[in-house]
Amino acid sequence: MKRTRIVEILASKEVGTRFTVMGWVRTRRDSKGGFSFIEVNDGSCMTGLQIVADGKLHNYLSEVMKLQTGCSIEVVGTLVASVGKGQEVEIQAEEIKVVGWADPDVYPLQKKRHSFEFLRTIAHLRPRTNTFSAVARVRSSVSHAIHTFFQERGFIYVHTPIITGSDCEGAGEMFKVTAFDLDQVPKEEGRSDFTRDFFGHPASLTVSGQLEAEIYALAMGDVYTFGPTFRAEDSNTSRHLAEFWMVEPEMAFCDLEGDVELAVNFLKYIFAYVLENCTQDLEFFNRFIDDSALKTLENLVSQDFKHITYTEGIEVLSKAKKKFEFPVSWGVNLQSEHERYLCEKVFKKPIVVVNYPKGIKPFYMKVDKDEKTVRAMDILVPKIGEIIGGSQREDDYDTLLARIKEANLEPDDYWWYLELRKFGSVPHAGFGLGFERLIQFITGLSNIRDVIPFPRTPGNVSF
Ligand code: 4AD
Ligand code: MG
């Protein structure tokens, strides 16, 4: 079946050319003059294409007049200038074939606004709406931009494993992977005997590709990963998913400053890219979701980010008049309310926060000379809070071993990670960008469940 996408037809504006269009009916309006207007959308762009169906079509009464929202059709016709309002061109149909019917009495998507909560329950149909098809296109474009950014700079794309035997973040929030029959798990002294499991060792879904990315950085210089990551944290918030995508560059011969520089350039590149390439979708989000979304993106491309240390951040927050749910003092983790207050109320721009207390950060971050803080950096943006988390890595063998033990992790599980500090260790650094948080920021959508096709959250694994 040969078809031309609506996005290409609208871009060509080749009036007089015959096209075959295939897509889903959004609306049908019948004119008193004995013909109908059918708006068809094929997901290739925000706008649909208006089809004019003449009453003389052989199946006009038998089929065309019965078309409803959700039916799929194949139209052959000629592109003509439109005399009506709302579109420059339309298709004068010569033939309309119904490919699939959709019974209007039971089709859940109607030509009205549905709540996002409702649409989550019909994730198999929500990409047919303007919002969710726009999200899908933006995700696709941003993925392309991410690869382009790194590939143009000579970074090697490394495919890190999804199943892992080590906990990168050391937070223990991992989904177990096992081939055991869970009703009959072999036991040894009362505990599960993983030596008899598939891998002969406890295994989990990865929370980050960083540790493996470091292996490749320490052989090839500049690398990145971009893949799914999993966290079994029971956070039912608008910014947490149990399955999300992360972009993680890792650079050898690089310190924290070089890491921050890459992260800022990277974000600016992505924002400039979407402004240039996703114009129609961004205008839609700006109009219907968040009327400051476009302005915020434009500002970010031109503005400098604010750079502060964690200690400076705590000082500002301690003096704030606002009453926080989580009290602030040196040593506590910044909560989303603190991050957003700093970005939205104090500095009114994205912030790079560096040198967090070592007690609240993972074992792999390089300890500062004061031995109190680590060479960590988080990038915070308005409305979201943390969007990037990164650091310079500990490259000293003894310090790293001590940190692994302090974190109650098993040094044997990290033998290879430790060996990288024994053989040709170099300063190196990297970061992780939460892909869905980035898409939330770009689109202005307030709930992270609406920027991923099939959200996985506590209690939720449908579709
Ligand atoms: O700050 P995080 O935990 O950092 C790491 O995992 C490092 N290993 C990255 C690195 O240095 N290579 O996570 C990185 C980012 C966060 O800033 C956030 O944007 C996102 O991942 N993120 C989540 N996004 C959605 N749902 C969750 N549950 C998330 N947890 C983290
Ligand atoms: Mg973090």
Side-chain angles (χ1 to χ4, degrees), residues 401-423:
L401 181 60
R403 292 274 286 152
I404 288 176
K405 288 181 183 161
E406 258 168 50
N408 285 324
L409 297 170
E410 180 49 62
D412 281 353
D413 287 344
Y414 298 87
W415 67 272
W416 46 272
Y417 192 70
L418 282 157
E419 264 195 7
L420 293 172
R421 278 73 183 166
K422 245 193 221 168
F423 309 129

mmCIF file with all atom_site columns, all heavy atoms in Angstrom, residues 401-423:
data_model
loop_
_atom_site.group_PDB
_atom_site.id
_atom_site.type_symbol
_atom_site.label_atom_id
_atom_site.label_alt_id
_atom_site.label_comp_id
_atom_site.label_asym_id
_atom_site.label_entity_id
_atom_site.label_seq_id
_atom_site.pdbx_PDB_ins_code
_atom_site.Cartn_x
_atom_site.Cartn_y
_atom_site.Cartn_z
_atom_site.occupancy
_atom_site.B_iso_or_equiv
_atom_site.pdbx_formal_charge
_atom_site.auth_seq_id
_atom_site.auth_comp_id
_atom_site.auth_asym_id
_atom_site.auth_atom_id
_atom_site.pdbx_PDB_model_num
ATOM 1   N N   . LEU A 1 401 ? 37.728 1.777   47.591 1.00 0.00 ? 401 LEU A N   1
ATOM 2   C CA  . LEU A 1 401 ? 37.465 0.556   48.366 1.00 0.00 ? 401 LEU A CA  1
ATOM 3   C C   . LEU A 1 401 ? 36.819 0.916   49.712 1.00 0.00 ? 401 LEU A C   1
ATOM 4   O O   . LEU A 1 401 ? 35.835 0.307   50.137 1.00 0.00 ? 401 LEU A O   1
ATOM 5   C CB  . LEU A 1 401 ? 38.770 -0.226  48.581 1.00 0.00 ? 401 LEU A CB  1
ATOM 6   C CG  . LEU A 1 401 ? 38.632 -1.534  49.363 1.00 0.00 ? 401 LEU A CG  1
ATOM 7   C CD1 . LEU A 1 401 ? 37.698 -2.504  48.643 1.00 0.00 ? 401 LEU A CD1 1
ATOM 8   C CD2 . LEU A 1 401 ? 40.002 -2.183  49.579 1.00 0.00 ? 401 LEU A CD2 1
ATOM 9   N N   . ALA A 1 402 ? 37.361 1.945   50.339 1.00 0.00 ? 402 ALA A N   1
ATOM 10  C CA  . ALA A 1 402 ? 36.810 2.374   51.631 1.00 0.00 ? 402 ALA A CA  1
ATOM 11  C C   . ALA A 1 402 ? 35.364 2.842   51.463 1.00 0.00 ? 402 ALA A C   1
ATOM 12  O O   . ALA A 1 402 ? 34.501 2.541   52.299 1.00 0.00 ? 402 ALA A O   1
ATOM 13  C CB  . ALA A 1 402 ? 37.671 3.495   52.221 1.00 0.00 ? 402 ALA A CB  1
ATOM 14  N N   . ARG A 1 403 ? 35.087 3.551   50.397 1.00 0.00 ? 403 ARG A N   1
ATOM 15  C CA  . ARG A 1 403 ? 33.730 4.068   50.167 1.00 0.00 ? 403 ARG A CA  1
ATOM 16  C C   . ARG A 1 403 ? 32.743 2.925   49.892 1.00 0.00 ? 403 ARG A C   1
ATOM 17  O O   . ARG A 1 403 ? 31.591 2.977   50.306 1.00 0.00 ? 403 ARG A O   1
ATOM 18  C CB  . ARG A 1 403 ? 33.736 5.056   48.986 1.00 0.00 ? 403 ARG A CB  1
ATOM 19  C CG  . ARG A 1 403 ? 34.482 6.346   49.278 1.00 0.00 ? 403 ARG A CG  1
ATOM 20  C CD  . ARG A 1 403 ? 33.600 7.385   49.947 1.00 0.00 ? 403 ARG A CD  1
ATOM 21  N NE  . ARG A 1 403 ? 32.663 7.983   48.997 1.00 0.00 ? 403 ARG A NE  1
ATOM 22  C CZ  . ARG A 1 403 ? 31.484 8.482   49.326 1.00 0.00 ? 403 ARG A CZ  1
ATOM 23  N NH1 . ARG A 1 403 ? 31.074 8.438   50.574 1.00 0.00 ? 403 ARG A NH1 1
ATOM 24  N NH2 . ARG A 1 403 ? 30.715 9.023   48.406 1.00 0.00 ? 403 ARG A NH2 1
ATOM 25  N N   . ILE A 1 404 ? 33.202 1.910   49.191 1.00 0.00 ? 404 ILE A N   1
ATOM 26  C CA  . ILE A 1 404 ? 32.328 0.756   48.916 1.00 0.00 ? 404 ILE A CA  1
ATOM 27  C C   . ILE A 1 404 ? 31.966 0.063   50.232 1.00 0.00 ? 404 ILE A C   1
ATOM 28  O O   . ILE A 1 404 ? 30.801 -0.265  50.478 1.00 0.00 ? 404 ILE A O   1
ATOM 29  C CB  . ILE A 1 404 ? 33.023 -0.231  47.932 1.00 0.00 ? 404 ILE A CB  1
ATOM 30  C CG1 . ILE A 1 404 ? 33.056 0.387   46.533 1.00 0.00 ? 404 ILE A CG1 1
ATOM 31  C CG2 . ILE A 1 404 ? 32.312 -1.588  47.910 1.00 0.00 ? 404 ILE A CG2 1
ATOM 32  C CD1 . ILE A 1 404 ? 33.786 -0.434  45.484 1.00 0.00 ? 404 ILE A CD1 1
ATOM 33  N N   . LYS A 1 405 ? 32.964 -0.071  51.092 1.00 0.00 ? 405 LYS A N   1
ATOM 34  C CA  . LYS A 1 405 ? 32.704 -0.730  52.390 1.00 0.00 ? 405 LYS A CA  1
ATOM 35  C C   . LYS A 1 405 ? 31.783 0.130   53.253 1.00 0.00 ? 405 LYS A C   1
ATOM 36  O O   . LYS A 1 405 ? 30.849 -0.386  53.878 1.00 0.00 ? 405 LYS A O   1
ATOM 37  C CB  . LYS A 1 405 ? 34.019 -0.991  53.114 1.00 0.00 ? 405 LYS A CB  1
ATOM 38  C CG  . LYS A 1 405 ? 34.827 -2.119  52.473 1.00 0.00 ? 405 LYS A CG  1
ATOM 39  C CD  . LYS A 1 405 ? 36.110 -2.352  53.245 1.00 0.00 ? 405 LYS A CD  1
ATOM 40  C CE  . LYS A 1 405 ? 36.972 -3.413  52.603 1.00 0.00 ? 405 LYS A CE  1
ATOM 41  N NZ  . LYS A 1 405 ? 38.367 -3.318  53.067 1.00 0.00 ? 405 LYS A NZ  1
ATOM 42  N N   . GLU A 1 406 ? 32.060 1.441   53.259 1.00 0.00 ? 406 GLU A N   1
ATOM 43  C CA  . GLU A 1 406 ? 31.217 2.368   54.027 1.00 0.00 ? 406 GLU A CA  1
ATOM 44  C C   . GLU A 1 406 ? 29.750 2.268   53.610 1.00 0.00 ? 406 GLU A C   1
ATOM 45  O O   . GLU A 1 406 ? 28.842 2.418   54.411 1.00 0.00 ? 406 GLU A O   1
ATOM 46  C CB  . GLU A 1 406 ? 31.641 3.814   53.724 1.00 0.00 ? 406 GLU A CB  1
ATOM 47  C CG  . GLU A 1 406 ? 32.485 4.494   54.773 1.00 0.00 ? 406 GLU A CG  1
ATOM 48  C CD  . GLU A 1 406 ? 33.061 5.787   54.185 1.00 0.00 ? 406 GLU A CD  1
ATOM 49  O OE1 . GLU A 1 406 ? 32.297 6.596   53.604 1.00 0.00 ? 406 GLU A OE1 1
ATOM 50  O OE2 . GLU A 1 406 ? 34.279 5.953   54.292 1.00 0.00 ? 406 GLU A OE2 1
ATOM 51  N N   . ALA A 1 407 ? 29.545 2.059   52.293 1.00 0.00 ? 407 ALA A N   1
ATOM 52  C CA  . ALA A 1 407 ? 28.180 2.002   51.763 1.00 0.00 ? 407 ALA A CA  1
ATOM 53  C C   . ALA A 1 407 ? 27.553 0.618   51.967 1.00 0.00 ? 407 ALA A C   1
ATOM 54  O O   . ALA A 1 407 ? 26.465 0.357   51.461 1.00 0.00 ? 407 ALA A O   1
ATOM 55  C CB  . ALA A 1 407 ? 28.187 2.373   50.278 1.00 0.00 ? 407 ALA A CB  1
ATOM 56  N N   . ASN A 1 408 ? 28.250 -0.255  52.720 1.00 0.00 ? 408 ASN A N   1
ATOM 57  C CA  . ASN A 1 408 ? 27.771 -1.623  52.967 1.00 0.00 ? 408 ASN A CA  1
ATOM 58  C C   . ASN A 1 408 ? 27.556 -2.420  51.694 1.00 0.00 ? 408 ASN A C   1
ATOM 59  O O   . ASN A 1 408 ? 26.660 -3.252  51.612 1.00 0.00 ? 408 ASN A O   1
ATOM 60  C CB  . ASN A 1 408 ? 26.474 -1.625  53.780 1.00 0.00 ? 408 ASN A CB  1
ATOM 61  C CG  . ASN A 1 408 ? 26.754 -1.299  55.224 1.00 0.00 ? 408 ASN A CG  1
ATOM 62  O OD1 . ASN A 1 408 ? 27.791 -1.708  55.756 1.00 0.00 ? 408 ASN A OD1 1
ATOM 63  N ND2 . ASN A 1 408 ? 25.855 -0.542  55.832 1.00 0.00 ? 408 ASN A ND2 1
ATOM 64  N N   . LEU A 1 409 ? 28.387 -2.147  50.694 1.00 0.00 ? 409 LEU A N   1
ATOM 65  C CA  . LEU A 1 409 ? 28.318 -2.932  49.464 1.00 0.00 ? 409 LEU A CA  1
ATOM 66  C C   . LEU A 1 409 ? 29.407 -3.991  49.542 1.00 0.00 ? 409 LEU A C   1
ATOM 67  O O   . LEU A 1 409 ? 30.354 -3.883  50.336 1.00 0.00 ? 409 LEU A O   1
ATOM 68  C CB  . LEU A 1 409 ? 28.506 -2.030  48.241 1.00 0.00 ? 409 LEU A CB  1
ATOM 69  C CG  . LEU A 1 409 ? 27.412 -0.955  48.058 1.00 0.00 ? 409 LEU A CG  1
ATOM 70  C CD1 . LEU A 1 409 ? 27.806 0.030   46.974 1.00 0.00 ? 409 LEU A CD1 1
ATOM 71  C CD2 . LEU A 1 409 ? 26.064 -1.600  47.732 1.00 0.00 ? 409 LEU A CD2 1
ATOM 72  N N   . GLU A 1 410 ? 29.278 -5.000  48.722 1.00 0.00 ? 410 GLU A N   1
ATOM 73  C CA  . GLU A 1 410 ? 30.189 -6.129  48.738 1.00 0.00 ? 410 GLU A CA  1
ATOM 74  C C   . GLU A 1 410 ? 31.342 -5.855  47.763 1.00 0.00 ? 410 GLU A C   1
ATOM 75  O O   . GLU A 1 410 ? 31.124 -5.846  46.546 1.00 0.00 ? 410 GLU A O   1
ATOM 76  C CB  . GLU A 1 410 ? 29.391 -7.373  48.312 1.00 0.00 ? 410 GLU A CB  1
ATOM 77  C CG  . GLU A 1 410 ? 30.163 -8.655  48.268 1.00 0.00 ? 410 GLU A CG  1
ATOM 78  C CD  . GLU A 1 410 ? 30.963 -8.905  49.517 1.00 0.00 ? 410 GLU A CD  1
ATOM 79  O OE1 . GLU A 1 410 ? 30.346 -9.024  50.605 1.00 0.00 ? 410 GLU A OE1 1
ATOM 80  O OE2 . GLU A 1 410 ? 32.197 -8.958  49.398 1.00 0.00 ? 410 GLU A OE2 1
ATOM 81  N N   . PRO A 1 411 ? 32.568 -5.602  48.261 1.00 0.00 ? 411 PRO A N   1
ATOM 82  C CA  . PRO A 1 411 ? 33.677 -5.266  47.349 1.00 0.00 ? 411 PRO A CA  1
ATOM 83  C C   . PRO A 1 411 ? 33.868 -6.298  46.233 1.00 0.00 ? 411 PRO A C   1
ATOM 84  O O   . PRO A 1 411 ? 34.220 -5.930  45.109 1.00 0.00 ? 411 PRO A O   1
ATOM 85  C CB  . PRO A 1 411 ? 34.901 -5.215  48.264 1.00 0.00 ? 411 PRO A CB  1
ATOM 86  C CG  . PRO A 1 411 ? 34.346 -4.885  49.608 1.00 0.00 ? 411 PRO A CG  1
ATOM 87  C CD  . PRO A 1 411 ? 32.991 -5.538  49.673 1.00 0.00 ? 411 PRO A CD  1
ATOM 88  N N   . ASP A 1 412 ? 33.587 -7.583  46.517 1.00 0.00 ? 412 ASP A N   1
ATOM 89  C CA  . ASP A 1 412 ? 33.766 -8.619  45.497 1.00 0.00 ? 412 ASP A CA  1
ATOM 90  C C   . ASP A 1 412 ? 32.896 -8.375  44.265 1.00 0.00 ? 412 ASP A C   1
ATOM 91  O O   . ASP A 1 412 ? 33.269 -8.720  43.147 1.00 0.00 ? 412 ASP A O   1
ATOM 92  C CB  . ASP A 1 412 ? 33.397 -9.999  46.066 1.00 0.00 ? 412 ASP A CB  1
ATOM 93  C CG  . ASP A 1 412 ? 34.521 -10.553 46.910 1.00 0.00 ? 412 ASP A CG  1
ATOM 94  O OD1 . ASP A 1 412 ? 35.611 -9.914  46.920 1.00 0.00 ? 412 ASP A OD1 1
ATOM 95  O OD2 . ASP A 1 412 ? 34.307 -11.593 47.562 1.00 0.00 ? 412 ASP A OD2 1
ATOM 96  N N   . ASP A 1 413 ? 31.704 -7.777  44.478 1.00 0.00 ? 413 ASP A N   1
ATOM 97  C CA  . ASP A 1 413 ? 30.826 -7.490  43.343 1.00 0.00 ? 413 ASP A CA  1
ATOM 98  C C   . ASP A 1 413 ? 31.402 -6.394  42.444 1.00 0.00 ? 413 ASP A C   1
ATOM 99  O O   . ASP A 1 413 ? 30.957 -6.201  41.317 1.00 0.00 ? 413 ASP A O   1
ATOM 100 C CB  . ASP A 1 413 ? 29.441 -7.026  43.827 1.00 0.00 ? 413 ASP A CB  1
ATOM 101 C CG  . ASP A 1 413 ? 28.634 -8.169  44.412 1.00 0.00 ? 413 ASP A CG  1
ATOM 102 O OD1 . ASP A 1 413 ? 29.007 -9.336  44.176 1.00 0.00 ? 413 ASP A OD1 1
ATOM 103 O OD2 . ASP A 1 413 ? 27.642 -7.888  45.111 1.00 0.00 ? 413 ASP A OD2 1
ATOM 104 N N   . TYR A 1 414 ? 32.348 -5.624  42.995 1.00 0.00 ? 414 TYR A N   1
ATOM 105 C CA  . TYR A 1 414 ? 32.894 -4.470  42.259 1.00 0.00 ? 414 TYR A CA  1
ATOM 106 C C   . TYR A 1 414 ? 34.368 -4.673  41.917 1.00 0.00 ? 414 TYR A C   1
ATOM 107 O O   . TYR A 1 414 ? 35.081 -3.715  41.672 1.00 0.00 ? 414 TYR A O   1
ATOM 108 C CB  . TYR A 1 414 ? 32.703 -3.180  43.089 1.00 0.00 ? 414 TYR A CB  1
ATOM 109 C CG  . TYR A 1 414 ? 31.240 -2.874  43.350 1.00 0.00 ? 414 TYR A CG  1
ATOM 110 C CD1 . TYR A 1 414 ? 30.581 -3.413  44.451 1.00 0.00 ? 414 TYR A CD1 1
ATOM 111 C CD2 . TYR A 1 414 ? 30.504 -2.080  42.471 1.00 0.00 ? 414 TYR A CD2 1
ATOM 112 C CE1 . TYR A 1 414 ? 29.232 -3.166  44.680 1.00 0.00 ? 414 TYR A CE1 1
ATOM 113 C CE2 . TYR A 1 414 ? 29.161 -1.821  42.690 1.00 0.00 ? 414 TYR A CE2 1
ATOM 114 C CZ  . TYR A 1 414 ? 28.536 -2.365  43.796 1.00 0.00 ? 414 TYR A CZ  1
ATOM 115 O OH  . TYR A 1 414 ? 27.191 -2.120  44.011 1.00 0.00 ? 414 TYR A OH  1
ATOM 116 N N   . TRP A 1 415 ? 34.814 -5.946  41.890 1.00 0.00 ? 415 TRP A N   1
ATOM 117 C CA  . TRP A 1 415 ? 36.248 -6.205  41.703 1.00 0.00 ? 415 TRP A CA  1
ATOM 118 C C   . TRP A 1 415 ? 36.772 -5.580  40.413 1.00 0.00 ? 415 TRP A C   1
ATOM 119 O O   . TRP A 1 415 ? 37.847 -5.012  40.360 1.00 0.00 ? 415 TRP A O   1
ATOM 120 C CB  . TRP A 1 415 ? 36.532 -7.717  41.744 1.00 0.00 ? 415 TRP A CB  1
ATOM 121 C CG  . TRP A 1 415 ? 35.935 -8.481  40.583 1.00 0.00 ? 415 TRP A CG  1
ATOM 122 C CD1 . TRP A 1 415 ? 34.699 -9.010  40.527 1.00 0.00 ? 415 TRP A CD1 1
ATOM 123 C CD2 . TRP A 1 415 ? 36.553 -8.757  39.327 1.00 0.00 ? 415 TRP A CD2 1
ATOM 124 N NE1 . TRP A 1 415 ? 34.485 -9.607  39.307 1.00 0.00 ? 415 TRP A NE1 1
ATOM 125 C CE2 . TRP A 1 415 ? 35.607 -9.471  38.550 1.00 0.00 ? 415 TRP A CE2 1
ATOM 126 C CE3 . TRP A 1 415 ? 37.818 -8.488  38.776 1.00 0.00 ? 415 TRP A CE3 1
ATOM 127 C CZ2 . TRP A 1 415 ? 35.891 -9.893  37.245 1.00 0.00 ? 415 TRP A CZ2 1
ATOM 128 C CZ3 . TRP A 1 415 ? 38.092 -8.922  37.492 1.00 0.00 ? 415 TRP A CZ3 1
ATOM 129 C CH2 . TRP A 1 415 ? 37.123 -9.617  36.738 1.00 0.00 ? 415 TRP A CH2 1
ATOM 130 N N   . TRP A 1 416 ? 35.967 -5.665  39.368 1.00 0.00 ? 416 TRP A N   1
ATOM 131 C CA  . TRP A 1 416 ? 36.397 -5.127  38.071 1.00 0.00 ? 416 TRP A CA  1
ATOM 132 C C   . TRP A 1 416 ? 36.395 -3.598  38.087 1.00 0.00 ? 416 TRP A C   1
ATOM 133 O O   . TRP A 1 416 ? 37.268 -2.950  37.508 1.00 0.00 ? 416 TRP A O   1
ATOM 134 C CB  . TRP A 1 416 ? 35.487 -5.643  36.952 1.00 0.00 ? 416 TRP A CB  1
ATOM 135 C CG  . TRP A 1 416 ? 34.020 -5.554  37.285 1.00 0.00 ? 416 TRP A CG  1
ATOM 136 C CD1 . TRP A 1 416 ? 33.269 -6.496  37.927 1.00 0.00 ? 416 TRP A CD1 1
ATOM 137 C CD2 . TRP A 1 416 ? 33.129 -4.461  37.004 1.00 0.00 ? 416 TRP A CD2 1
ATOM 138 N NE1 . TRP A 1 416 ? 31.968 -6.053  38.075 1.00 0.00 ? 416 TRP A NE1 1
ATOM 139 C CE2 . TRP A 1 416 ? 31.856 -4.820  37.514 1.00 0.00 ? 416 TRP A CE2 1
ATOM 140 C CE3 . TRP A 1 416 ? 33.275 -3.226  36.380 1.00 0.00 ? 416 TRP A CE3 1
ATOM 141 C CZ2 . TRP A 1 416 ? 30.747 -3.983  37.420 1.00 0.00 ? 416 TRP A CZ2 1
ATOM 142 C CZ3 . TRP A 1 416 ? 32.179 -2.395  36.269 1.00 0.00 ? 416 TRP A CZ3 1
ATOM 143 C CH2 . TRP A 1 416 ? 30.927 -2.763  36.799 1.00 0.00 ? 416 TRP A CH2 1
ATOM 144 N N   . TYR A 1 417 ? 35.439 -3.020  38.813 1.00 0.00 ? 417 TYR A N   1
ATOM 145 C CA  . TYR A 1 417 ? 35.354 -1.558  38.932 1.00 0.00 ? 417 TYR A CA  1
ATOM 146 C C   . TYR A 1 417 ? 36.572 -1.045  39.698 1.00 0.00 ? 417 TYR A C   1
ATOM 147 O O   . TYR A 1 417 ? 37.164 -0.023  39.349 1.00 0.00 ? 417 TYR A O   1
ATOM 148 C CB  . TYR A 1 417 ? 34.048 -1.200  39.644 1.00 0.00 ? 417 TYR A CB  1
ATOM 149 C CG  . TYR A 1 417 ? 33.673 0.258   39.588 1.00 0.00 ? 417 TYR A CG  1
ATOM 150 C CD1 . TYR A 1 417 ? 33.267 0.859   38.396 1.00 0.00 ? 417 TYR A CD1 1
ATOM 151 C CD2 . TYR A 1 417 ? 33.720 1.049   40.737 1.00 0.00 ? 417 TYR A CD2 1
ATOM 152 C CE1 . TYR A 1 417 ? 32.911 2.197   38.355 1.00 0.00 ? 417 TYR A CE1 1
ATOM 153 C CE2 . TYR A 1 417 ? 33.363 2.391   40.703 1.00 0.00 ? 417 TYR A CE2 1
ATOM 154 C CZ  . TYR A 1 417 ? 32.955 2.956   39.509 1.00 0.00 ? 417 TYR A CZ  1
ATOM 155 O OH  . TYR A 1 417 ? 32.611 4.282   39.466 1.00 0.00 ? 417 TYR A OH  1
ATOM 156 N N   . LEU A 1 418 ? 36.963 -1.811  40.725 1.00 0.00 ? 418 LEU A N   1
ATOM 157 C CA  . LEU A 1 418 ? 38.153 -1.439  41.490 1.00 0.00 ? 418 LEU A CA  1
ATOM 158 C C   . LEU A 1 418 ? 39.426 -1.599  40.652 1.00 0.00 ? 418 LEU A C   1
ATOM 159 O O   . LEU A 1 418 ? 40.324 -0.768  40.699 1.00 0.00 ? 418 LEU A O   1
ATOM 160 C CB  . LEU A 1 418 ? 38.237 -2.301  42.749 1.00 0.00 ? 418 LEU A CB  1
ATOM 161 C CG  . LEU A 1 418 ? 37.290 -1.877  43.879 1.00 0.00 ? 418 LEU A CG  1
ATOM 162 C CD1 . LEU A 1 418 ? 37.002 -3.028  44.828 1.00 0.00 ? 418 LEU A CD1 1
ATOM 163 C CD2 . LEU A 1 418 ? 37.868 -0.680  44.639 1.00 0.00 ? 418 LEU A CD2 1
ATOM 164 N N   . GLU A 1 419 ? 39.468 -2.648  39.844 1.00 0.00 ? 419 GLU A N   1
ATOM 165 C CA  . GLU A 1 419 ? 40.680 -2.887  39.028 1.00 0.00 ? 419 GLU A CA  1
ATOM 166 C C   . GLU A 1 419 ? 40.950 -1.753  38.049 1.00 0.00 ? 419 GLU A C   1
ATOM 167 O O   . GLU A 1 419 ? 42.097 -1.480  37.709 1.00 0.00 ? 419 GLU A O   1
ATOM 168 C CB  . GLU A 1 419 ? 40.557 -4.218  38.256 1.00 0.00 ? 419 GLU A CB  1
ATOM 169 C CG  . GLU A 1 419 ? 41.226 -5.323  38.997 1.00 0.00 ? 419 GLU A CG  1
ATOM 170 C CD  . GLU A 1 419 ? 41.472 -6.584  38.190 1.00 0.00 ? 419 GLU A CD  1
ATOM 171 O OE1 . GLU A 1 419 ? 41.253 -6.626  36.961 1.00 0.00 ? 419 GLU A OE1 1
ATOM 172 O OE2 . GLU A 1 419 ? 41.903 -7.561  38.824 1.00 0.00 ? 419 GLU A OE2 1
ATOM 173 N N   . LEU A 1 420 ? 39.894 -1.102  37.602 1.00 0.00 ? 420 LEU A N   1
ATOM 174 C CA  . LEU A 1 420 ? 40.097 0.023   36.679 1.00 0.00 ? 420 LEU A CA  1
ATOM 175 C C   . LEU A 1 420 ? 40.923 1.122   37.349 1.00 0.00 ? 420 LEU A C   1
ATOM 176 O O   . LEU A 1 420 ? 41.529 1.950   36.685 1.00 0.00 ? 420 LEU A O   1
ATOM 177 C CB  . LEU A 1 420 ? 38.755 0.610   36.228 1.00 0.00 ? 420 LEU A CB  1
ATOM 178 C CG  . LEU A 1 420 ? 37.886 -0.291  35.347 1.00 0.00 ? 420 LEU A CG  1
ATOM 179 C CD1 . LEU A 1 420 ? 36.515 0.335   35.142 1.00 0.00 ? 420 LEU A CD1 1
ATOM 180 C CD2 . LEU A 1 420 ? 38.554 -0.526  33.993 1.00 0.00 ? 420 LEU A CD2 1
ATOM 181 N N   . ARG A 1 421 ? 40.917 1.140   38.696 1.00 0.00 ? 421 ARG A N   1
ATOM 182 C CA  . ARG A 1 421 ? 41.707 2.118   39.459 1.00 0.00 ? 421 ARG A CA  1
ATOM 183 C C   . ARG A 1 421 ? 43.125 1.605   39.731 1.00 0.00 ? 421 ARG A C   1
ATOM 184 O O   . ARG A 1 421 ? 43.949 2.322   40.294 1.00 0.00 ? 421 ARG A O   1
ATOM 185 C CB  . ARG A 1 421 ? 41.034 2.437   40.800 1.00 0.00 ? 421 ARG A CB  1
ATOM 186 C CG  . ARG A 1 421 ? 39.926 3.477   40.716 1.00 0.00 ? 421 ARG A CG  1
ATOM 187 C CD  . ARG A 1 421 ? 38.676 2.961   40.059 1.00 0.00 ? 421 ARG A CD  1
ATOM 188 N NE  . ARG A 1 421 ? 37.655 4.002   39.937 1.00 0.00 ? 421 ARG A NE  1
ATOM 189 C CZ  . ARG A 1 421 ? 36.586 3.894   39.167 1.00 0.00 ? 421 ARG A CZ  1
ATOM 190 N NH1 . ARG A 1 421 ? 36.383 2.821   38.426 1.00 0.00 ? 421 ARG A NH1 1
ATOM 191 N NH2 . ARG A 1 421 ? 35.722 4.876   39.101 1.00 0.00 ? 421 ARG A NH2 1
ATOM 192 N N   . LYS A 1 422 ? 43.359 0.362   39.363 1.00 0.00 ? 422 LYS A N   1
ATOM 193 C CA  . LYS A 1 422 ? 44.677 -0.222  39.578 1.00 0.00 ? 422 LYS A CA  1
ATOM 194 C C   . LYS A 1 422 ? 45.523 -0.126  38.317 1.00 0.00 ? 422 LYS A C   1
ATOM 195 O O   . LYS A 1 422 ? 46.732 -0.006  38.359 1.00 0.00 ? 422 LYS A O   1
ATOM 196 C CB  . LYS A 1 422 ? 44.494 -1.719  39.903 1.00 0.00 ? 422 LYS A CB  1
ATOM 197 C CG  . LYS A 1 422 ? 44.915 -2.126  41.276 1.00 0.00 ? 422 LYS A CG  1
ATOM 198 C CD  . LYS A 1 422 ? 44.960 -3.649  41.305 1.00 0.00 ? 422 LYS A CD  1
ATOM 199 C CE  . LYS A 1 422 ? 44.397 -4.178  42.596 1.00 0.00 ? 422 LYS A CE  1
ATOM 200 N NZ  . LYS A 1 422 ? 44.178 -5.616  42.540 1.00 0.00 ? 422 LYS A NZ  1
ATOM 201 N N   . PHE A 1 423 ? 44.860 -0.216  37.177 1.00 0.00 ? 423 PHE A N   1
ATOM 202 C CA  . PHE A 1 423 ? 45.578 -0.280  35.902 1.00 0.00 ? 423 PHE A CA  1
ATOM 203 C C   . PHE A 1 423 ? 45.266 0.952   35.068 1.00 0.00 ? 423 PHE A C   1
ATOM 204 O O   . PHE A 1 423 ? 44.207 1.039   34.456 1.00 0.00 ? 423 PHE A O   1
ATOM 205 C CB  . PHE A 1 423 ? 45.157 -1.537  35.127 1.00 0.00 ? 423 PHE A CB  1
ATOM 206 C CG  . PHE A 1 423 ? 45.231 -2.808  35.946 1.00 0.00 ? 423 PHE A CG  1
ATOM 207 C CD1 . PHE A 1 423 ? 44.148 -3.670  36.013 1.00 0.00 ? 423 PHE A CD1 1
ATOM 208 C CD2 . PHE A 1 423 ? 46.396 -3.133  36.629 1.00 0.00 ? 423 PHE A CD2 1
ATOM 209 C CE1 . PHE A 1 423 ? 44.206 -4.831  36.760 1.00 0.00 ? 423 PHE A CE1 1
ATOM 210 C CE2 . PHE A 1 423 ? 46.464 -4.303  37.376 1.00 0.00 ? 423 PHE A CE2 1
ATOM 211 C CZ  . PHE A 1 423 ? 45.373 -5.157  37.452 1.00 0.00 ? 423 PHE A CZ  1
#
